[in-house]
Amino acid sequence: MQLWVGLGNPGPRYAMQRHNVGFMACDVLADMYDFGPVQKKFQGWLQEGRIGSEKVLLLKPGTFMNESGRSVGEAMRFYKLPIEALTVFHDELDLAPFKVKVKRGGGHAGHNGLRSIDAHLGPDFRRVRIGIGHPGHKDRVHGHVLGNYAKSEMDDLVQMLGAIGGCADWLAAGDDARFMSEYALKMQD
């Protein structure tokens, strides 16, 4: 069993913010793979399903970004999952918009959701880093991250989320390199 977590902030006012792209990825995965109904668990929203041959739990913490680790830690302990079973989908300033990279472990680069998970579980979990681009100057980061996607970005956002979903079976199988390769091909179409 794997736990896939999408990071974001709860509530409609945050729904289209770049910081919520992890939530968006979970919603698309749940829809594409016909996951079960949403259950209110672990201070968040949980759905169960299968991707390929793997059982996957999708969790969207309802704790707000800065406390995501509480929700994730609770779910990991309940299911007695090893850190290798955890995948976190999150926005990444240091990647160009709509680029996606997977890595295991590392720092949090100032991302408060990752910082919180790291504090509760350590840094050795897998991350699906979803590029939102850097606004250029550090004084503009806060507004950029908490800003909504522009109308002109919607087609790319939809294509990106669909490509993540379309390649998710490789993630579930543990083939991160193949996932990234297939994702890049889908984004060229």
Side-chain angles (χ1 to χ4, degrees):
M1 182 182 338
Q2 299 179 40
L3 178 65
W4 290 10
V5 176
L7 294 184
N9 286 312
R13 73 180 267 207
Y14 304 105
M16 291 308 297
Q17 292 180 353
R18 289 177 188 88
H19 216 25
N20 271 39
V21 74
F23 272 18
M24 295 176 205
C26 275
D27 290 340
V28 166
L29 290 165
D31 188 51
M32 286 180 80
Y33 291 91
D34 202 26
F35 271 56
V38 175
Q39 305 168 57
K40 187 84 170 101
K41 284 186 170 180
F42 311 117
Q43 302 175 61
W45 300 276
L46 184 80
Q47 289 179 271
E48 298 180 25
R50 296 192 93 69
I51 297 179
S53 63
E54 299 294 321
K55 181 172 183 178
V56 175
L57 305 171
L58 294 175
L59 176 65
K60 297 187 331 188
T63 54
F64 285 92
M65 187 68 75
N66 297 359
E67 296 294 333
S68 297
R70 287 194 343 233
S71 173
V72 177
E74 198 176 309
M76 292 288 287
R77 286 186 294 278
F78 180 84
Y79 291 108
K80 298 177 176 61
L81 295 174
I83 197 72
E84 296 78 24
L86 176 61
T87 300
V88 177
F89 294 79
H90 67 90
D91 57 301
E92 176 62 62
L93 276 169
D94 295 329
L95 282 178
F98 312 112
K99 296 292 182 201
V100 173
K101 299 286 182 195
V102 180
K103 76 174 197 173
R104 184 168 293 281
H108 53 72
H111 192 292
N112 289 328
L114 295 178
R115 178 184 284 130
S116 178
I117 294 169
D118 188 334
H120 284 264
L121 298 168
D124 297 328
F125 53 92
R126 182 169 65 169
R127 302 120 192 270
V128 177
R129 304 163 61 222
I130 302 171
I132 62 169
H134 198 286
H137 192 276
K138 65 180 183 177
D139 292 343
R140 294 174 44 207
V141 166
H142 185 79
H144 178 70
V145 168
L146 296 180
N148 288 345
Y149 280 99
K151 286 182 183 175
S152 63
E153 296 174 301
M154 287 301 146
D155 288 346
D156 290 331
L157 178 63
V158 168
Q159 182 184 8
M160 177 193 70
L161 292 169
I164 289 171
C167 302
D169 52 335
W170 295 111
L171 266 184
D175 194 339
D176 299 347
R178 183 75 183 265
F179 168 81
M180 289 187 284
S181 174
E182 295 294 327
Y183 172 84
L185 288 172
K186 284 187 182 298
M187 290 302 286
Q188 288 175 357
D189 294 342

